[in-house]
Every structure is written in structure tokens, then in C-alpha cells.
């Protein structure tokens, strides 16, 4: 799986959008971008994933650049409960044997403040 | 629907002792995995399984054994615990070969003294 690079920490004011960047310049064509978060050392929680199109769900939006070498996770209205470590993971297809294995980096510690 | 259940939540072992960390999922997921997380680090894959009777090694398999006799259960065994195995252990499951999300348990915090 391709490696990812994320800033170690970010701050965001409550109610504002949190934009978390991720660089994955070595991503290959069949690899997906996944985002998870981990709150207070609980088990990681899935947020969103995408291949090349932008995606949105009830939690967040995922913007993937046209060359797929980077992406941004957007939490549109961050709350204190969004304080967590956010992991960007590039994951291969299960069909090619890579999808079962998630390679975690050190992630971005997002701190949402009043 | 319980999801992924790990037991115990906390455990203290003496060096050389053995124990089994339990993981069960009730979602009929094919894929299950074990990860460990050391302080300030991301999760690292220990072992994984793509179905009952099939297991394989991950990034850090030494010192750990697994088996998958049923779809629901994926226990992780430490045969002779070492202080280097002090960590938080997470079990995860994924539904099937279509790209879907992984569900994680709440973790087992293991201390080896």
C-alpha cells in the first residue's frame, strides 16, 4: 500500500470547517483513500473513502485531487467531539490481496476548541 | 448488534505467561485482523484472516499465533509474554472483498511486567 503523509497536529475553532490534508503521491490506480479517526484511544472509526471522485456522507466530505496524489478531509462544522487523531490510509483492492490490510501512519491530531 | 467484541479490556501478565485475547464479531464478516498500537504510534498489523481456516502474517507477527476455526471468532495467542508486547490490541473485521469499511473493537490494554 502507498504511504501517506499528514501534518502531526491541527487546531480548529468549534463551528468552523476543519480541513485535514493528506499526501499520497505514490498511490496507484486501484488504491482507495480511506479516512478513520480515533478518539481517546478507542478503536478507530471509519469516516469516508473514495477512489477518484469527491465523496460526501453525513460525517464528512472527501476531496481527491485530479492526479490523486493528495486529498483533503473536510468536517464542515467541527465540534468538540471531533477532537481525535485522524488517519489517512491508502488501501489496495481486496481483489488484488491488499484490501484486508490497513497501513496506519501517525495521523493528524485535530484539536477543536471553543 | 454488538459489532466487534474484544475481551478482556485490561490485562496484566508476568513475563513468560501465556494468554489469549478474544475477538468475536456478529456481522458475518469474512475478513478479520489484529493490530497493536504502541504509545504515540499508529496501528500495526499483526495477523489477519480472509475466512475460516485461512490466516496470514502481517507486519509484526513474531510472538503471536492466531487461528480462525469459525467465521465469528479470531483469537490472538501470546505463548510467552514479553515486556515488548505491552501495547493496546485492536481487532477489526471487514465484510467481504468489495471495498467497505473496517469495524474495530474497543481494544485490549495489555501490560507485561
Amino acid at each position: 500500500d502507498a504511504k501517506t503523509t499528514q501534518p502531526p497536529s491541527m487546531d480548529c475553532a468549534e463551528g468552523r470547517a476543519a480541513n485535514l490534508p493528506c499526501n499520497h503521491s505514490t498511490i496507484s490506480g486501484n488504491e482507495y483513500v480511506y479516512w478513520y479517526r480515533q478518539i481517546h484511544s478507542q478503536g478507530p472509526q471509519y469516516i469516508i473513502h473514495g477512489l477518484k471522485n469527491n465523496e460526501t456522507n453525513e460525517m464528512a466530505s472527501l476531496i481527491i485531487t485530479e492526479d490523486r496524489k493528495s486529498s483533503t478531509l473536510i468536517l464542515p462544522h467541527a465540534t468538540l467531539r471531533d477532537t481525535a487523531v485522524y488517519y489517512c490510509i491508502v488501501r489496495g483492492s481486496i481483489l488484488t490481496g491488499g484490501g484486508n490490510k490497513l497501513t496506519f501512519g501517525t495521523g493528524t491530531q485535530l484539536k477543536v476548541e471553543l | 448488534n454488538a459489532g466487534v467484541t474484544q475481551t478482556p479490556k485490561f490485562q496484566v501478565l508476568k513475563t513468560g505467561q501465556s494468554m489469549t485475547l478474544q475477538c468475536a464479531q456478529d456481522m458475518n464478516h469474512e475478513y478479520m485482523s489484529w493490530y497493536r498500537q504502541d504509545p504515540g504510534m499508529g496501528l500495526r498489523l499483526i495477523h489477519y484472516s480472509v475466512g475460516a481456516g485461512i490466516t496470514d502474517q502481517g507486519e509484526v507477527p513474531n510472538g503471536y499465533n492466531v487461528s480462525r476455526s469459525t467465521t465469528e471468532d479470531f483469537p490472538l495467542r501470546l505463548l510467552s509474554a514479553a515486556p515488548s508486547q505491552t501495547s493496546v490490541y485492536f481487532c477489526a473485521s471487514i465484510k467481504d472483498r468489495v471495498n467497505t469499511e473496517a469495524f474495530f473493537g474497543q481494544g485490549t490494554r495489555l501490560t507485561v511486567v
Side-chain angles (χ1 to χ4, degrees):
Chain A
D1 290 347
K3 291 185 178 179
T4 61
T5 305
Q6 299 177 253
S9 64
M10 293 183 65
D11 295 331
C12 179
E14 189 176 35
R16 304 296 294 269
N19 297 289
L20 290 87
C22 179
N23 182 291
H24 32 79
S25 59
T26 59
I27 193 170
S28 62
N30 65 350
E31 290 181 317
Y32 287 71
V33 180
Y34 276 74
W35 283 83
Y36 286 80
R37 71 181 183 183
Q38 189 175 26
I39 300 173
H40 294 309
S41 297
Q42 297 175 14
Q45 174 191 23
Y46 165 82
I47 301 173
I48 198 167
H49 74 282
L51 183 61
K52 49 184 161 183
N53 297 322
N54 298 338
E55 302 288 344
T56 296
N57 62 21
E58 65 277 4
M59 289 181 67
S61 294
L62 174 61
I63 309 296
I64 302 174
T65 58
E66 191 169 344
D67 63 7
R68 302 207 327 119
K69 293 185 177 182
S70 65
S71 61
T72 301
L73 177 74
I74 300 173
L75 307 179
H77 305 287
T79 71
L80 297 178
R81 288 179 295 180
D82 292 322
T83 293
V85 177
Y86 287 76
Y87 295 101
C88 169
I89 296 167
V90 173
R91 172 181 165 191
S93 167
I94 285 179
L95 295 176
T96 59
N100 192 38
K101 295 176 273 188
L102 304 177
T103 301
F104 287 81
T106 52
T108 295
Q109 172 67 63
L110 175 68
K111 185 175 181 182
V112 181
E113 301 172 306
L114 293 172
Chain B
N1 193 345
V4 179
T5 303
Q6 290 184 236
T7 55
K9 287 186 171 54
F10 301 92
Q11 182 71 49
V12 178
L13 287 179
K14 293 183 178 179
T15 298
Q17 285 185 316
S18 63
M19 80 159 295
T20 299
L21 280 64
Q22 301 291 344
C23 175
Q25 52 92 8
D26 61 359
M27 299 174 284
N28 201 31
H29 285 181
E30 290 187 29
Y31 301 93
M32 296 185 74
S33 310
W34 276 102
Y35 295 83
R36 61 176 287 174
Q37 185 173 32
D38 299 320
M41 297 182 66
L43 283 70
R44 291 184 293 168
L45 181 65
I46 305 172
H47 285 286
Y48 66 98
S49 168
V50 299
I54 307 170
T55 64
D56 206 345
Q57 296 181 350
E59 181 185 356
V60 289
N62 293 337
Y64 308 94
N65 283 344
V66 293
S67 60
R68 184 99 180 270
S69 56
T70 67
T71 300
E72 296 78 18
D73 300 299
F74 191 44
L76 178 72
R77 283 184 287 275
L78 286 72
L79 298 179
S80 179
S84 61
Q85 294 178 304
T86 294
S87 190
V88 181
Y89 292 84
F90 291 100
C91 179
S93 72
I94 301 173
K95 183 178 181 182
D96 54 32
R97 59 176 55 219
V98 177
N99 266 293
T100 56
E101 71 263 36
F103 292 81
F104 285 82
Q106 289 304 297
T108 295
R109 187 174 297 274
L110 176 68
T111 302
V112 183
V113 298

